PDB file of all heavy atoms in Angstrom:
ATOM      1  N   VAL A1199      42.057  -1.979 -22.158  1.00 39.00           N
ATOM      2  CA  VAL A1199      42.300  -2.751 -20.945  1.00 39.00           C
ATOM      3  C   VAL A1199      42.155  -1.907 -19.679  1.00 39.00           C
ATOM      4  O   VAL A1199      41.615  -2.342 -18.685  1.00 39.00           O
ATOM      5  CB  VAL A1199      43.708  -3.393 -20.993  1.00 39.00           C
ATOM      6  CG1 VAL A1199      44.045  -4.043 -19.654  1.00 39.00           C
ATOM      7  CG2 VAL A1199      43.749  -4.433 -22.104  1.00 39.00           C
ATOM      8  N   GLU A1252      31.349 -24.417  -1.724  1.00 80.00           N
ATOM      9  CA  GLU A1252      32.463 -25.365  -1.662  1.00 80.00           C
ATOM     10  C   GLU A1252      32.719 -25.875  -3.073  1.00 80.00           C
ATOM     11  O   GLU A1252      31.800 -25.874  -3.898  1.00 80.00           O
ATOM     12  CB  GLU A1252      32.093 -26.564  -0.770  1.00 80.00           C
ATOM     13  CG  GLU A1252      31.864 -26.201   0.680  1.00 80.00           C
ATOM     14  CD  GLU A1252      30.792 -27.059   1.355  1.00 80.00           C
ATOM     15  OE1 GLU A1252      29.940 -27.631   0.645  1.00 80.00           O
ATOM     16  OE2 GLU A1252      30.798 -27.128   2.575  1.00 80.00           O
ATOM     17  N   THR A1270       6.109 -20.839 -18.442  1.00 98.00           N
ATOM     18  CA  THR A1270       4.797 -20.456 -18.960  1.00 98.00           C
ATOM     19  C   THR A1270       4.945 -19.430 -20.081  1.00 98.00           C
ATOM     20  O   THR A1270       4.295 -19.530 -21.133  1.00 98.00           O
ATOM     21  CB  THR A1270       3.929 -19.879 -17.818  1.00 98.00           C
ATOM     22  OG1 THR A1270       3.992 -20.765 -16.706  1.00 98.00           O
ATOM     23  CG2 THR A1270       2.495 -19.709 -18.248  1.00 98.00           C
ATOM     24  N   HIS A1297       3.026 -28.596 -16.683  1.00 92.00           N
ATOM     25  CA  HIS A1297       1.664 -28.926 -16.242  1.00 92.00           C
ATOM     26  C   HIS A1297       1.635 -30.194 -15.398  1.00 92.00           C
ATOM     27  O   HIS A1297       0.649 -30.459 -14.721  1.00 92.00           O
ATOM     28  CB  HIS A1297       0.744 -29.096 -17.457  1.00 92.00           C
ATOM     29  CG  HIS A1297       0.643 -27.860 -18.298  1.00 92.00           C
ATOM     30  ND1 HIS A1297      -0.219 -26.838 -18.002  1.00 92.00           N
ATOM     31  CD2 HIS A1297       1.342 -27.459 -19.393  1.00 92.00           C
ATOM     32  CE1 HIS A1297      -0.074 -25.874 -18.910  1.00 92.00           C
ATOM     33  NE2 HIS A1297       0.867 -26.229 -19.764  1.00 92.00           N
ATOM     34  N   ALA A1323      -6.062 -37.885 -19.455  1.00 96.00           N
ATOM     35  CA  ALA A1323      -5.634 -38.244 -20.812  1.00 96.00           C
ATOM     36  C   ALA A1323      -5.977 -37.189 -21.864  1.00 96.00           C
ATOM     37  O   ALA A1323      -5.126 -36.822 -22.682  1.00 96.00           O
ATOM     38  CB  ALA A1323      -6.216 -39.601 -21.199  1.00 96.00           C
ATOM     39  N   SER A1361      24.020 -14.659 -26.352  1.00 97.00           N
ATOM     40  CA  SER A1361      23.849 -13.270 -26.784  1.00 97.00           C
ATOM     41  C   SER A1361      24.680 -12.990 -28.024  1.00 97.00           C
ATOM     42  O   SER A1361      24.206 -12.406 -28.998  1.00 97.00           O
ATOM     43  CB  SER A1361      24.291 -12.314 -25.675  1.00 97.00           C
ATOM     44  OG  SER A1361      23.639 -12.612 -24.482  1.00 97.00           O
ATOM     45  N   LYS A1362      25.921 -13.423 -27.971  1.00 96.00           N
ATOM     46  CA  LYS A1362      26.807 -13.149 -29.104  1.00 96.00           C
ATOM     47  C   LYS A1362      26.360 -13.916 -30.352  1.00 96.00           C
ATOM     48  O   LYS A1362      26.426 -13.397 -31.457  1.00 96.00           O
ATOM     49  CB  LYS A1362      28.248 -13.454 -28.723  1.00 96.00           C
ATOM     50  CG  LYS A1362      28.702 -12.478 -27.616  1.00 96.00           C
ATOM     51  CD  LYS A1362      30.187 -12.470 -27.386  1.00 96.00           C
ATOM     52  CE  LYS A1362      30.520 -11.252 -26.500  1.00 96.00           C
ATOM     53  NZ  LYS A1362      31.956 -11.068 -26.334  1.00 96.00           N
ATOM     54  N   LEU A1375      14.429 -11.873 -19.725  1.00 98.00           N
ATOM     55  CA  LEU A1375      15.321 -12.376 -18.678  1.00 98.00           C
ATOM     56  C   LEU A1375      14.559 -12.619 -17.382  1.00 98.00           C
ATOM     57  O   LEU A1375      14.572 -11.803 -16.462  1.00 98.00           O
ATOM     58  CB  LEU A1375      16.460 -11.380 -18.479  1.00 98.00           C
ATOM     59  CG  LEU A1375      17.235 -11.032 -19.773  1.00 98.00           C
ATOM     60  CD1 LEU A1375      18.189  -9.870 -19.539  1.00 98.00           C
ATOM     61  CD2 LEU A1375      17.975 -12.254 -20.310  1.00 98.00           C
ATOM     62  N   SER A1380      21.356 -14.733  -8.853  1.00 90.00           N
ATOM     63  CA  SER A1380      21.911 -14.298  -7.577  1.00 90.00           C
ATOM     64  C   SER A1380      22.594 -12.945  -7.708  1.00 90.00           C
ATOM     65  O   SER A1380      23.278 -12.681  -8.689  1.00 90.00           O
ATOM     66  CB  SER A1380      22.923 -15.332  -7.093  1.00 90.00           C
ATOM     67  OG  SER A1380      23.511 -14.895  -5.896  1.00 90.00           O
ATOM     68  N   PRO A1385      33.570 -15.650  -4.933  1.00 83.00           N
ATOM     69  CA  PRO A1385      34.551 -15.766  -6.017  1.00 83.00           C
ATOM     70  C   PRO A1385      35.296 -17.096  -5.939  1.00 83.00           C
ATOM     71  O   PRO A1385      35.558 -17.593  -4.838  1.00 83.00           O
ATOM     72  CB  PRO A1385      35.502 -14.588  -5.769  1.00 83.00           C
ATOM     73  CG  PRO A1385      34.736 -13.632  -4.930  1.00 83.00           C
ATOM     74  CD  PRO A1385      33.816 -14.469  -4.092  1.00 83.00           C
ATOM     75  N   ARG A1414      24.416  -4.526 -18.102  1.00 91.00           N
ATOM     76  CA  ARG A1414      25.136  -3.451 -18.788  1.00 91.00           C
ATOM     77  C   ARG A1414      25.877  -3.979 -20.015  1.00 91.00           C
ATOM     78  O   ARG A1414      25.767  -3.443 -21.111  1.00 91.00           O
ATOM     79  CB  ARG A1414      26.127  -2.824 -17.805  1.00 91.00           C
ATOM     80  CG  ARG A1414      27.147  -1.921 -18.485  1.00 91.00           C
ATOM     81  CD  ARG A1414      27.884  -1.000 -17.536  1.00 91.00           C
ATOM     82  NE  ARG A1414      28.254  -1.604 -16.276  1.00 91.00           N
ATOM     83  CZ  ARG A1414      28.843  -0.919 -15.282  1.00 91.00           C
ATOM     84  NH1 ARG A1414      29.098   0.363 -15.434  1.00 91.00           N
ATOM     85  NH2 ARG A1414      29.163  -1.512 -14.164  1.00 91.00           N
ATOM     86  N   ASP A1464      -0.589 -12.735 -10.156  1.00 98.00           N
ATOM     87  CA  ASP A1464      -1.824 -11.983 -10.409  1.00 98.00           C
ATOM     88  C   ASP A1464      -1.590 -10.622 -11.051  1.00 98.00           C
ATOM     89  O   ASP A1464      -2.489 -10.090 -11.695  1.00 98.00           O
ATOM     90  CB  ASP A1464      -2.584 -11.767  -9.091  1.00 98.00           C
ATOM     91  CG  ASP A1464      -3.030 -13.079  -8.469  1.00 98.00           C
ATOM     92  OD1 ASP A1464      -3.288 -14.029  -9.234  1.00 98.00           O
ATOM     93  OD2 ASP A1464      -3.100 -13.155  -7.229  1.00 98.00           O
ATOM     94  N   THR A1472       9.298   6.021 -20.179  1.00 92.00           N
ATOM     95  CA  THR A1472       8.262   7.066 -20.211  1.00 92.00           C
ATOM     96  C   THR A1472       6.964   6.667 -19.515  1.00 92.00           C
ATOM     97  O   THR A1472       6.064   7.485 -19.378  1.00 92.00           O
ATOM     98  CB  THR A1472       7.895   7.402 -21.677  1.00 92.00           C
ATOM     99  OG1 THR A1472       7.505   6.164 -22.326  1.00 92.00           O
ATOM    100  CG2 THR A1472       9.066   8.021 -22.405  1.00 92.00           C
TER     101      THR A1472
END
Side-chain angles (χ1 to χ4, degrees):
Chain A
V1199 172
E1252 296 147 338
T1270 311
H1297 300 276
S1361 307
K1362 295 193 168 186
L1375 306 170
S1380 177
R1414 167 164 40 184
D1464 297 330
T1472 55

